[in-house]
Amino acid sequence: MKSLPFFQFASTTTDNRYSIHEPRWCGMQQELLDIEADFYLPVEDLKNRPKSLWRYREAIPIASSTPLVSMQEGFTPMLPLVLGQHHLHVKQEQLFPSGSYKDRGATVLMTQARYLQIKSVVQDSSGNAGCAIATYAALARISCTIFLPEETSEAKIVQMKAANACIERVPGSREDTARATWKAAQQTYYASHCWNPFFLHGTKTFAYEVWEQLGYKSPDVLVLPAGNGTLVLGCFIGFQELLRMGLTDKMPKIVGIQAENCAPLVAAYQQNASHAIAVSVQPTLAEGIAIAEPVRGGQMLAAVRQSQGTFLVVSEAEIAQAFLLVAKQGFYIEPTSAATIAGAMKFCNHNSDCGTVVTLFSGHGLKSGDKILKMLK
Ligand SMILES: *Cc1c(COP(=O)(O)O)cnc(C)c1O
């Protein structure tokens, strides 16, 4: 039964549905939106397609014949690595053009922005999401302003500036930055990795790649970073779609990793809460997952529970150890990425018979020289 691909925005709190062809990032009550999807993926054609995440074109909610804002990114290698006696499959997501897997979301979101004839976008991120949106905005010739909290790392700002993004520094907390961006977005378009569901329909291609690279099968376990949850939610969406199409028979257990110094979801998971819990926060080596108030926290908790997975914390010492372990083997990754690897090893230590475990190097080390130098001393 091949039907035409169908996509629409769906409110997460009301019965409202909206056309996918409107420039939206939230519902009428400023609530979160998801994208409802129905499509068919021609599996037999996949092997003949270019090695890019756009090989799953039918699954991506972009009108056919839309020109892509793409640099043939994705379909990253998945290497079998032995880390601390554990056999892990590690996706090389640090190899994306802007240095992290955030490019998965950015190529899809900025393709949609250009399709909508958007002239300028705003985004708030102190890290790789800002770099990815700035990169793909440049590629799309769309002007881009990134709002940043004060403590943003210099190398990431340089990368955004190189891509011709305007930088707006906002005094105060991360939440103050989000508020300033929301206000600016009323005049433009909010290319948010948290709010805009097109981003998640880019990150979901991680799930499709894992499935294809394992020989059209789900792994038993996916160990993923859990900051704002773009991969946790993207993978949950991707495997749900593969299940719906009958292309796999199981949802992998999703294990979300947080740093001990900023673990609102671990606290919520342990207390059986349906939303992230306010926690006190300390600085961490894993700055990329240090999100005290994840916008989609409730959805992340639901996804991890439904997958029969769990949330785990890792300490600063465990993050540093994991970094040094992989660095010694030649992999130069962002310290944030080492948190996920530390979490994968911890999960395997606690679950001796855990089957096929897939995890990732989420970002490249080249933007984090100062932090890495401190760990080497
Ligand atoms: C964004 C990011 C993460 C965390 O991802 P979320 O989508 O916020 O959960 C992890 N590692 C790196 C390098 C990142 O850039």
Side-chain angles (χ1 to χ4, degrees), residues 93-94 99-102 125 127-129 156 193-194 199-200 203 224-233 257-258 265 286-291 294 300 333-340 360-364 367-368:
E93 301 284 292
Q94 80 280 27
S100 85
Y101 76 84
K102 297 290 194 314
S125 154
N128 290 323
K156 289 176 181 164
H193 57 300
C194 310
F199 201 93
L200 301 179
T203 54
L224 305 173
N228 276 307
T230 62
L231 261 191
V232 166
L233 294 173
I257 306 302
Q258 300 211 293
L265 295 168
E287 60 178 16
I289 50 172
I291 310 293
M300 293 169 74
I333 61 175
E334 182 170 333
T336 298
S337 313
T340 303
L360 68 148
F361 293 149
S362 55
H364 209 289
K367 302 181 206 177
S368 312

Coordinates of all heavy atoms in Angstrom, one line a residue, residues 93-94 99-102 125 127-129 156 193-194 199-200 203 224-233 257-258 265 286-291 294 300 333-340 360-364 367-368, ligand 1:
E93 N 29.9 10.9 14.6 CA 29.1 12.1 14.3 C 30.0 13.4 14.4 O 29.5 14.4 14.1 CB 28.0 12.1 15.3 CG 27.1 10.9 15.2 CD 26.2 11.0 13.9 OE1 25.3 11.8 13.9 OE2 26.4 10.1 13.0
Q94 N 31.2 13.2 14.9 CA 32.1 14.4 14.9 C 32.6 14.8 13.5 O 33.2 15.8 13.3 CB 33.3 14.1 15.8 CG 34.5 13.3 15.2 CD 34.2 11.7 15.2 OE1 33.0 11.3 15.2 NE2 35.2 11.0 15.2
G99 N 31.1 19.9 12.6 CA 31.8 19.3 13.7 C 30.9 18.6 14.7 O 31.4 18.2 15.8
S100 N 29.6 18.5 14.5 CA 28.7 17.7 15.4 C 27.5 17.2 14.6 O 27.2 17.7 13.5 CB 28.3 18.5 16.6 OG 27.1 19.3 16.2
Y101 N 26.8 16.3 15.2 CA 25.6 15.7 14.6 C 24.5 16.7 14.4 O 23.5 16.5 13.8 CB 25.1 14.5 15.4 CG 24.4 14.9 16.6 CD1 23.1 15.2 16.6 CD2 25.1 15.0 17.8 CE1 22.4 15.6 17.7 CE2 24.4 15.4 19.0 CZ 23.1 15.7 18.9 OH 22.4 16.1 20.0
K102 N 24.6 17.9 15.0 CA 23.6 19.0 14.9 C 23.3 19.3 13.4 O 22.2 19.8 13.1 CB 23.9 20.2 15.7 CG 24.1 20.1 17.2 CD 22.7 19.8 17.9 CE 22.8 20.0 19.4 NZ 23.9 19.3 20.1
S125 N 21.8 29.3 21.2 CA 22.5 28.1 21.5 C 23.9 28.6 21.9 O 24.4 29.5 21.3 CB 22.6 27.2 20.3 OG 23.8 26.4 20.4
G127 N 26.3 26.6 21.7 CA 27.2 25.6 21.2 C 27.0 25.2 19.8 O 26.8 26.0 18.9
N128 N 27.0 23.9 19.6 CA 27.1 23.3 18.3 C 25.8 23.5 17.5 O 25.8 23.5 16.3 CB 27.4 21.8 18.4 CG 28.8 21.6 18.8 OD1 29.7 22.3 18.4 ND2 29.1 20.6 19.7
A129 N 24.7 23.7 18.2 CA 23.4 23.9 17.4 C 23.5 25.3 16.8 O 23.1 25.4 15.6 CB 22.2 23.9 18.4
K156 N 33.6 28.4 19.3 CA 32.2 28.2 18.7 C 31.7 29.6 18.2 O 31.1 29.6 17.1 CB 31.3 27.6 19.7 CG 31.6 26.1 19.9 CD 30.8 25.4 20.9 CE 31.3 23.9 21.1 NZ 30.8 23.3 22.3
H193 N 16.6 24.3 17.7 CA 16.7 22.9 17.8 C 15.8 22.3 18.9 O 15.5 21.1 18.9 CB 18.2 22.4 18.0 CG 18.8 23.0 19.3 ND1 18.9 24.4 19.5 CD2 19.3 22.4 20.4 CE1 19.5 24.6 20.6 NE2 19.7 23.4 21.2
C194 N 15.3 23.1 19.8 CA 14.4 22.6 20.8 C 13.0 22.7 20.4 O 12.2 21.8 20.5 CB 14.6 23.5 22.1 SG 16.3 23.6 22.6
F199 N 13.8 20.1 13.1 CA 15.1 19.7 13.5 C 15.1 18.2 13.9 O 16.0 17.5 13.6 CB 15.6 20.6 14.7 CG 17.0 20.6 14.9 CD1 17.8 21.6 14.4 CD2 17.7 19.6 15.7 CE1 19.2 21.6 14.6 CE2 19.0 19.6 15.9 CZ 19.8 20.6 15.4
L200 N 14.1 17.8 14.6 CA 14.0 16.4 15.1 C 13.8 15.4 13.9 O 14.3 14.2 14.0 CB 12.9 16.2 16.1 CG 13.0 17.0 17.3 CD1 11.7 16.8 18.2 CD2 14.2 16.7 18.1
T203 N 17.4 14.9 12.9 CA 18.2 14.0 13.7 C 17.7 12.6 13.7 O 18.5 11.7 14.0 CB 18.2 14.6 15.2 OG1 16.9 14.7 15.6 CG2 19.0 15.9 15.3
L224 N 22.8 7.5 24.3 CA 22.8 8.8 23.6 C 22.9 9.9 24.7 O 22.6 9.8 25.8 CB 21.4 9.0 23.0 CG 21.0 7.9 22.0 CD1 19.5 8.2 21.5 CD2 21.9 7.9 20.7
P225 N 23.5 11.1 24.2 CA 23.5 12.2 25.1 C 22.1 12.7 25.4 O 21.2 12.6 24.6 CB 24.3 13.3 24.3 CG 24.1 12.9 22.9 CD 23.9 11.4 22.9
A226 N 21.9 13.3 26.6 CA 20.5 13.8 27.0 C 20.7 15.2 27.5 O 20.8 15.4 28.7 CB 19.8 12.9 28.0
G227 N 20.7 16.2 26.6 CA 20.7 17.6 26.9 C 19.3 18.1 26.6 O 18.4 18.0 27.5
N228 N 19.1 18.6 25.4 CA 17.8 19.0 25.0 C 17.1 17.9 24.3 O 15.9 18.0 23.9 CB 17.9 20.2 24.0 CG 17.9 21.5 24.8 OD1 17.0 21.7 25.7 ND2 18.9 22.3 24.6
G229 N 17.8 16.8 24.1 CA 17.2 15.6 23.6 C 17.0 15.5 22.1 O 16.1 14.7 21.6
T230 N 17.7 16.2 21.3 CA 17.5 16.2 19.9 C 17.8 14.8 19.3 O 17.1 14.4 18.4 CB 18.3 17.3 19.1 OG1 19.6 17.0 19.2 CG2 17.9 18.6 19.6
L231 N 18.7 14.1 19.9 CA 19.0 12.7 19.4 C 18.1 11.7 20.1 O 17.6 10.8 19.4 CB 20.4 12.3 19.7 CG 21.4 12.4 18.5 CD1 22.7 11.7 18.9 CD2 20.9 11.8 17.2
V232 N 17.8 11.9 21.4 CA 16.9 11.0 22.1 C 15.6 11.0 21.4 O 15.0 9.9 21.1 CB 16.8 11.4 23.6 CG1 15.6 10.7 24.2 CG2 18.1 11.1 24.3
L233 N 15.0 12.1 21.1 CA 13.7 12.2 20.5 C 13.8 11.9 19.0 O 12.9 11.2 18.5 CB 13.1 13.6 20.7 CG 12.8 14.0 22.2 CD1 12.4 15.4 22.3 CD2 11.7 13.1 22.7
I257 N 22.2 9.9 28.7 CA 23.3 10.2 29.6 C 23.3 11.7 30.0 O 23.3 12.5 29.1 CB 24.7 9.8 28.9 CG1 24.7 8.4 28.5 CG2 25.8 10.1 29.9 CD1 24.4 7.3 29.5
Q258 N 23.4 11.9 31.3 CA 23.6 13.3 31.8 C 24.8 13.4 32.6 O 25.2 12.4 33.2 CB 22.3 13.7 32.6 CG 21.0 13.7 31.7 CD 20.0 14.7 32.2 OE1 19.5 14.6 33.3 NE2 19.8 15.7 31.3
L265 N 16.9 15.3 34.4 CA 16.1 14.2 33.9 C 16.3 12.9 34.7 O 15.4 12.1 34.9 CB 16.4 14.0 32.4 CG 15.9 15.2 31.5 CD1 16.4 15.0 30.1 CD2 14.4 15.3 31.5
A286 N 31.1 18.5 30.4 CA 30.1 18.2 29.3 C 29.2 19.3 29.1 O 28.0 19.2 29.3 CB 29.4 16.9 29.7
E287 N 29.7 20.5 28.7 CA 28.9 21.7 28.6 C 27.7 21.5 27.6 O 26.7 22.1 27.8 CB 29.8 22.9 28.2 CG 30.4 22.7 26.8 CD 31.3 23.9 26.3 OE1 31.6 24.7 27.2 OE2 31.6 23.9 25.1
G288 N 27.9 20.7 26.6 CA 26.9 20.5 25.5 C 25.6 19.8 26.0 O 24.6 19.9 25.4
I289 N 25.7 19.1 27.2 CA 24.5 18.5 27.7 C 24.1 19.1 29.0 O 23.2 18.6 29.7 CB 24.6 16.9 27.9 CG1 25.9 16.6 28.6 CG2 24.6 16.3 26.5 CD1 26.0 15.1 29.0
A290 N 24.7 20.3 29.4 CA 24.3 20.9 30.6 C 23.1 21.8 30.4 O 23.2 23.0 30.3 CB 25.5 21.8 31.1
I291 N 22.0 21.2 30.3 CA 20.7 21.9 30.1 C 19.8 21.7 31.3 O 19.3 20.6 31.6 CB 20.0 21.3 28.8 CG1 20.9 21.2 27.6 CG2 18.7 22.1 28.5 CD1 21.4 22.5 27.0
P294 N 15.3 21.5 30.1 CA 15.1 21.0 28.7 C 13.6 21.3 28.3 O 12.7 20.8 28.9 CB 15.4 19.5 28.7 CG 15.4 19.1 30.1 CD 15.7 20.3 30.9
M300 N 11.1 13.6 26.5 CA 12.3 12.8 26.6 C 12.1 11.7 27.7 O 12.4 10.5 27.4 CB 13.5 13.6 27.0 CG 14.0 14.6 26.0 SD 15.2 15.8 26.6 CE 16.7 14.8 26.7
I333 N 37.8 14.0 20.4 CA 36.3 14.4 20.5 C 36.1 15.5 21.5 O 37.0 15.7 22.4 CB 35.5 13.2 20.9 CG1 35.9 12.6 22.2 CG2 35.5 12.1 19.8 CD1 35.0 11.4 22.8
E334 N 35.0 16.2 21.4 CA 34.6 17.2 22.4 C 34.4 16.5 23.7 O 33.8 15.4 23.8 CB 33.4 17.9 21.8 CG 32.9 19.0 22.7 CD 31.8 19.8 22.1 OE1 31.7 19.9 20.8 OE2 31.0 20.4 22.8
P335 N 34.8 17.2 24.8 CA 34.6 16.5 26.1 C 33.2 16.1 26.4 O 32.9 15.1 27.0 CB 35.1 17.6 27.1 CG 36.1 18.4 26.4 CD 35.7 18.4 24.9
T336 N 32.2 16.9 25.9 CA 30.8 16.5 26.0 C 30.6 15.1 25.5 O 29.8 14.3 26.0 CB 29.9 17.5 25.2 OG1 30.0 18.8 25.8 CG2 28.4 17.1 25.3
S337 N 31.2 14.8 24.4 CA 31.0 13.5 23.7 C 31.5 12.4 24.6 O 31.0 11.3 24.6 CB 31.8 13.4 22.4 OG 31.6 14.6 21.6
A338 N 32.6 12.7 25.4 CA 33.1 11.7 26.3 C 32.1 11.3 27.4 O 32.2 10.2 27.9 CB 34.4 12.2 26.9
A339 N 31.2 12.2 27.7 CA 30.2 11.8 28.7 C 29.3 10.7 28.2 O 29.0 9.7 29.0 CB 29.3 13.0 29.0
T340 N 29.0 10.7 27.0 CA 28.1 9.6 26.4 C 28.9 8.3 26.4 O 28.4 7.3 26.7 CB 27.7 10.0 25.0 OG1 27.0 11.3 25.1 CG2 26.8 9.0 24.4
L360 N 27.8 7.0 20.1 CA 28.4 7.9 19.1 C 29.5 8.8 19.7 O 29.5 9.0 21.0 CB 27.3 8.8 18.6 CG 26.6 9.8 19.6 CD1 26.2 11.1 18.8 CD2 25.5 9.2 20.3
F361 N 30.3 9.4 18.8 CA 31.1 10.5 19.2 C 30.3 11.7 18.6 O 30.2 11.9 17.4 CB 32.5 10.4 18.5 CG 33.4 9.3 19.0 CD1 34.3 8.7 18.1 CD2 33.3 8.9 20.3 CE1 35.1 7.7 18.6 CE2 34.1 7.9 20.8 CZ 35.0 7.3 19.9
S362 N 29.8 12.5 19.6 CA 28.8 13.5 19.1 C 29.4 14.8 18.5 O 28.8 15.5 17.7 CB 27.8 13.9 20.3 OG 28.6 14.3 21.4
G363 N 30.6 15.2 19.0 CA 31.2 16.4 18.5 C 32.7 16.3 18.4 O 33.4 15.5 19.0
H364 N 33.3 17.1 17.5 CA 34.7 17.1 17.3 C 35.5 17.8 18.4 O 35.0 18.8 18.9 CB 35.0 17.8 15.9 CG 36.3 17.2 15.3 ND1 37.5 17.5 15.8 CD2 36.5 16.4 14.2 CE1 38.4 16.9 15.0 NE2 37.8 16.2 14.1
K367 N 37.1 22.2 18.6 CA 36.6 23.5 19.1 C 36.9 23.6 20.6 O 36.5 24.6 21.2 CB 35.1 23.5 18.9 CG 34.6 23.4 17.5 CD 33.1 23.5 17.4 CE 32.6 22.8 16.2 NZ 31.1 22.9 16.1
S368 N 37.5 22.6 21.2 CA 37.5 22.6 22.7 C 39.0 22.5 23.2 O 39.2 21.9 24.3 CB 36.7 21.4 23.2 OG 35.5 21.3 22.6
Ligands
LIG1 C1 24.1 19.2 21.3 C2 25.1 18.2 21.8 C3 24.8 17.2 22.6 C4 23.5 17.0 23.3 O1 22.5 16.8 22.5 P1 21.0 17.2 22.9 O2 20.3 17.3 21.6 O3 21.0 18.6 23.5 O4 20.5 16.2 23.8 C5 25.9 16.3 22.9 N1 27.1 16.4 22.4 C6 27.4 17.4 21.5 C7 28.8 17.5 21.0 C8 26.4 18.3 21.2 O5 26.7 19.3 20.4

